[in-house]
Every structure is written in structure tokens, then in C-alpha cells.
Amino acid sequence: MDERIGTVDLAGEYAEVGSEVEAAVLGVLRSRTYVLGPECEAFEAELAGFVGADFAVGAASGTDALVLALRAVGVEPGSEVVTTPFTFFATAEAILLAGARPVFADIEAHGFNLDPAALDAAINERTRAIVPVHLFGACADLDAIGALAAARSVPLVEDAAQAIGATRGGRRAGSVGAAAAFSFYPSKNLSTAGDGGAVTTCDSEVAERVRLLGNHGSRERDHHLLAGTTSRLDALQAAILRVKLRHLPRWNQARREVAAGYSERLAGLDGVELPCVAADETPVWHQYAVRCRPSAQRAAVCKALEEAGVEWRHFYPRPAYRQPGLGEARLPAGACPEAERACDEVICLPIHPRLGSDELDRVADAVRRAATG
Ligand SMILES: Cc1ncc(COP(=O)(O)O)c(C=O)c1O
């Protein structure tokens, strides 16, 4: 039996850049500066440059980056924040952690991101922020959502956890909103050897507030201007990220080629809807997500992938508003029909920069076998 095809490839990545990473880690260990310091500052400057934002501030995780960004743009207990239900739970969780109530607007019928019309209907006088998620590495409709946010004077906090390097309408994920949050969890396109995150912004006051909130409200020792938390990026993680950031453009390009390879091989299959890409966007393919229509076909595709030794993921089996952890913000089934349909239909196929054409053939053959029954 052929080797199993995995959804991520940390071993391959390590084989490629492990020696550079080890040298960087050793440098930090020998420097004995483990929290903040020059590696973090250098990474923040390089990340801001890559994203096209004026500032980047490291955080301990993507979830923390979202919470800090929300608090920094003025989200307070009692306010509402509108977001998408078709996302990783952390998006909604961060809104709760910032003390606000998550309000859910439905997604588009064909893509996986917020539908601007549904978003418009969900905004009211209690709305203190809008959180579009650039899901699977494809930007939400930044022009339409940005225009809505501006018209209603509500800050936009982009959840760019999955979308580092993605563009739409010539703008990069993380450079459009009042603030944006990135995650460097090991499965992400740019990853640490642990947890890590960052906020990007073009507003110096937001950057300063994020920095304060993540460091106990303190700029100088024993002087605390506000009640924050401990959420900084470790120097070790920053050093690793600096190495990998240099390779990211090439890795994102390789993902685009893999995605094109899937789209070519799977074109025209009955009942398998391929990811749709707007003319003005360049996704970074954190996931390659297909929809099985009707959703009854999903089980057959998963079974065929299993039999072919191909790993797959179900991102996401239920909308965030159906998660028990949401407490009072939970909504009944049927609240956002398009998001629920996506939950029933979606399968994420393996994608990483080193996926070869033989592996692509194997995955695509399995999907085709199931689709043509
Ligand atoms: C869309 C989205 N938002 C937020 C997060 C949270 O990031 P982290 O796991 O680094 O806390 C993730 C990470 O999985 C994510 O995919």
C-alpha cells in the first residue's frame, strides 16, 4: 500500500528548513533573551512589511491576537460583534473572551465567507466590531465589507489566521481592517513550533493598546496603565517565524500550484463543487475545500479517500452558534442556512507545498471514483 497522504507535512517542512531553524533557535538560547527583545522586534517589522500594515505586535496565539485586537478597537462587555458562523470556534470564543456577544451573519451560497448582505442586516447600534474571517486562505469580500464597516462607523477586525499572504482587490489580508489577527499554529501556512499569533494594524494607537494589553498594561516596570494579560510572542517562536517567513512566498506559490492541479483534475465532476475564486483574488490555499452536492455524496467521497490512504478534514462539522461552549449566544438550528449547508457539504483535501503530482492523482482518482459511483 502506498504511503498515507497527510493533510499537513511538518516532516517535509523540517527536512527543508530544519537546519536554518535550528541555528536560529540556538541563537536565541545563547542570547538568553526569551521574551520580547530583538528577535520579536525584527519579526514584527518583517511581518508588518509582508502584510502591508504599518505595525505588527506579537501575541501568544491567534486567539489571543483576536481578543487583544477586539479590546484594542474598543469592544467592551455588553457590546455586540458580528461574525461568520462558518469558522473555527476560536473566532466566536475570542468575542466572548473580550466580553461581547457574538452575533452571526450567514455566509455566501458558493464561497465560504461572510455574505455582505447578511452582514448588513446583522449590524445594529450595539455593534462594536465586525470580524470577517478569511477562511481557508481566501479573503472575504473586503471591498463590500470594508464599505459597510465605514458606512456604519464600525471597526473591522480581520480574522486572518488562515490567510497570511492572501490578496483581494490588490489588498493583502491583514492590511485592510482597523486591526487583524494571525495565527502561527503548526498547521498554518506560516507556523511556529508551538503556539503564536500577531496583530497587524495601520493605527499606531491600536498597536500601542495591543502591546499594552498583552503585557499587563505595562510599558515600564511596575507601572500598569490598564488590566491586560500575559500574551507575548516568545523570542524562540519569533526566531523560527523569521526563518520561515523568508520561505513563505514560495510555499504559498507551491500551494497555488497544488490547488490548480486539483481544480484541473476534478473539473466537471457531477456533484463535486470546486472552490470558487473571484477574478480579483489570490488565495493562499490554507485548505482546498470542495462541496459535495447533494450532501449525501459526502460520505461516499470520505470513504473513497480513506480506502485510498488519503487523510481529509471536516472543517467545520457545525456552525459556531451550535457549539455548546457558546452558552447564551447559541442559536437554534436553521439560523444561518448557508453556513449549515456548508457544514453538511464540505470536505478539505490534503494541501501543502510539497504535494506531488502522483499524490494529486491519487486523491483526485479517489474523489472521481466516489463521484462517478
Ligand atoms: C479562523 C481561525 N481563527 C482563529 C484561530 C485561533 O488561532 P490559535 O489556534 O493560534 O489560537 C484559528 C486557528 O486555528 C483559526 O483557524
Side-chain angles (χ1 to χ4, degrees):
M1 171 98 179
D2 292 327
E3 210 174 305
R4 199 166 161 79
I5 300 175
T7 49
V8 288
D9 178 36
L10 291 179
E13 186 183 279
Y14 198 76
E16 213 183 309
V17 297
S19 56
E20 281 177 81
V21 166
E22 286 170 12
V25 165
L26 202 58
V28 173
L29 291 176
R30 288 178 175 162
S31 78
R32 284 169 280 116
T33 299
Y34 300 141
V35 176
L36 302 177
E39 285 294 336
C40 288
E41 283 165 25
F43 172 65
E44 288 174 350
E46 288 158 10
L47 178 68
F50 180 82
V51 165
D54 291 342
F55 307 94
V57 184
S61 68
T63 308
D64 273 7
L66 270 175
V67 177
L68 299 178
L70 288 167
R71 288 186 65 187
V73 302
V75 170
E76 301 169 328
S79 50
E80 291 186 1
V81 174
V82 186
T83 192
T84 163
F86 191 63
T87 181
F88 181 53
F89 183 62
T91 312
E93 188 182 34
I95 295 168
L96 287 176
L97 288 169
R101 180 185 181 82
V103 172
F104 296 97
D106 210 349
I107 62 167
E108 296 160 322
H110 291 281
F112 293 105
N113 284 325
L114 262 181
D115 173 5
L119 172 64
D120 193 23
I123 299 171
N124 64 39
E125 66 286 352
R126 290 180 300 279
T127 309
R128 288 290 170 275
I130 297 166
V131 181
V133 178
H134 306 314
L135 203 73
F136 301 153
C139 286
D141 186 345
L142 286 169
D143 280 346
I145 295 173
L148 269 176
R152 305 291 200 96
S153 303
V154 177
L156 206 62
V157 174
E158 299 170 66
D159 182 340
Q162 302 186 2
I164 187 158
T167 66
R168 185 152 179 180
R171 296 188 291 177
R172 259 196 182 178
S175 69
V176 177
F182 289 90
S183 164
F184 307 121
Y185 182 76
S187 62
K188 296 293 192 280
N189 291 30
L190 175 68
S191 68
T192 53
D195 280 307
V199 176
T200 55
T201 178
C202 291
D203 182 328
S204 59
E205 286 176 23
V206 170
E208 180 57 14
R209 275 200 295 279
V210 169
R211 212 174 277 291
L212 278 176
L213 285 164
N215 194 33
H216 305 290
S218 175
R219 215 177 279 134
E220 50 188 287
R221 191 177 287 278
D222 295 326
H223 191 59
H224 303 272
L225 297 168
L226 47 82
T229 184
T230 314
S231 187
R232 299 160 302 221
L233 189 63
D234 294 340
L236 282 170
Q237 304 299 1
I240 294 171
L241 288 164
R242 289 188 71 199
V243 168
K244 293 194 188 176
L245 185 58
R246 294 199 283 272
H247 297 274
L248 184 65
R250 183 169 54 81
W251 288 340
N252 278 347
Q253 179 54 31
R255 284 175 180 268
R256 282 183 201 113
E257 284 159 23
V258 171
Y262 273 137
S263 295
E264 196 185 308
R265 285 166 174 79
L266 297 173
L269 276 187
D270 256 2
V272 178
E273 188 178 298
L274 304 183
C276 43
V277 179
D280 65 343
E281 70 167 322
T282 314
V284 289
W285 301 101
H286 178 59
Q287 300 292 338
Y288 187 91
V290 299
R291 285 174 181 252
C292 298
R293 286 185 167 165
S295 59
Q297 179 145 304
R298 210 185 152 276
V301 174
C302 294
K303 185 162 172 280
L305 291 169
E306 281 298 332
E307 285 167 0
V310 175
E311 212 176 15
W312 50 273
R313 288 279 183 271
H314 190 180
F315 296 132
Y316 294 92
R318 53 178 139 167
Y321 60 72
R322 297 299 295 151
Q323 293 290 353
L326 215 62
E328 285 177 6
R330 280 189 91 195
L331 297 175
C336 293
E338 291 302 341
E340 292 183 21
R341 200 149 66 93
C343 291
D344 291 340
E345 293 177 348
V346 69
I347 303 177
C348 296
L349 304 179
I351 187 160
H352 60 72
R354 288 156 295 277
L355 206 69
S357 60
D358 289 353
E359 294 166 306
L360 278 174
D361 286 342
R362 223 167 100 201
V363 180
D365 287 349
V367 175
R368 185 173 306 107
R369 260 198 313 281
T372 52

